Amino acid sequence: MTASARDIIFNHSERVAPLGLIAIPGSEELGKKVNDYLVTWSREAGYDYDNFLIENECPRFSSGDGKALIKNTVRGYDVYIIADFGNYSLEYPLFGRMNRMSPDDHFQNLKRIIQAIGGKAHRINVITPILYGGRQHRRNYRESLDCAVALQELQNMGVSNIIAFDAHDPRVCNAVPLMGFDNIIPTYQVLKALFKYVNDFKMDTDHFMVVSPDEGALNRNMYYSSVLGVDLGMFYKRRDYSQVVNGRNPIVAHEYLGNSVEGKDVFIADDIISSGESMLDIAIELKKRNAKRIFAYATYPIFTNGLEAFDKAYADGKIDYVFGTNLSYRTPELLSREWFCEVDVSKYLSYLIMALNHDMSISKVIDPHQKISALLEKHKND
């Protein structure tokens, strides 16, 4: 960021209100990284800020009840609350036993923090990289639609803006058409990490290809193929609609549509790796078609069924790298795997917060086409 940009962003007369950052329990790691960037940039711009984080606590009683405490003033602040609904590593006592925190528990903590603010803040912005209930993005028959109801609840509590990353289906924002909702796709950060960790491939139609793992992920993979100037293929899931297993119709086969992948490096992008079965099935199918190397990316690498299947796939040469962001909790075991490459999005999020705090347009931040073009040109020259 140039000195002139810092001067504009940290001009006191242009900011909405003093900036306050609240990282609720489970999101402290990301909150600290964002705070470090904000402090560094403010000092470089000539302002004496040493901390934007607002100390908070969400204690739980042994009966399961809880509350939120905010230990600094937030009166008149432009507050940004970071909530990681996917962090299952936290525990709390419940009737003498330790209980893991679920997304429901994190959402309750978020609401408790908003209650503790008590309407004193100038504006409340909620940063939820993983949308609460976001995987259930549409309603069929007599089903709940938790994400839409949660968004409406936050709006009624006074939240002005929601910032999400790579939502499973961003159309859920139609539930709150009068509230700000930004769905951010960290495309540039992903490609930057790809060039950092893998520097021995050719980015052209003869050697590289993008493949969508299913029809739902087609748009994000279409963007990658367009900006990279390479071919796009896709798989679609053929399901058995005569039965339901674990709440969904089981997949019978992955059918491929597209040009040949023979001898090419293949990049696969999705929003989440949960069990990882679909990603591994697709990698196996691509290897059957003589693909060279497989680079998988998921914004949220949660690996609900563990890492053993990916360890075996890596050892067998079925998959080469898995990329994932630091927007949600990653286990120490995952971070230690040689096949996993982390995509740091904290700087990007910090820039978004700064721009919003000064009512600056974020359209160029959301659309990184120029940055990607410069990155590709640099890679080509190198």
Side-chain angles (χ1 to χ4, degrees), residues 4 20 88 119 142 146 154 172 242 247 311 339 351-352 356 378:
S4 59
Y88 60 90
R142 293 177 294 278
D146 294 9
L154 292 177
V172 73
S242 65
D311 288 338
W339 47 262
Y351 199 8
L352 281 168
L356 291 171
K378 181 178 182 299

Side-chain angles (χ1 to χ4, degrees), residues 101-157:
M101 287 191 68
S102 70
D104 294 340
D105 294 311
H106 287 294
F107 185 60
Q108 286 301 118
N109 277 349
L110 171 61
K111 293 195 294 183
R112 290 182 181 117
I113 288 289
I114 296 173
Q115 292 177 59
I117 291 173
K120 304 300 190 298
H122 176 79
R123 185 174 66 177
I124 298 176
N125 310 270
V126 174
I127 301 167
T128 64
I130 295 182
L131 273 177
Y132 173 77
R135 295 188 70 186
Q136 179 64 21
H137 57 280
R138 63 178 180 269
R139 189 178 188 215
N140 295 316
Y141 306 108
R142 293 177 294 278
E143 294 180 340
S144 63
L145 194 56
D146 294 9
C147 186
V149 174
L151 292 175
Q152 292 174 353
E153 194 169 359
L154 292 177
Q155 183 181 34
N156 292 334
M157 295 183 74

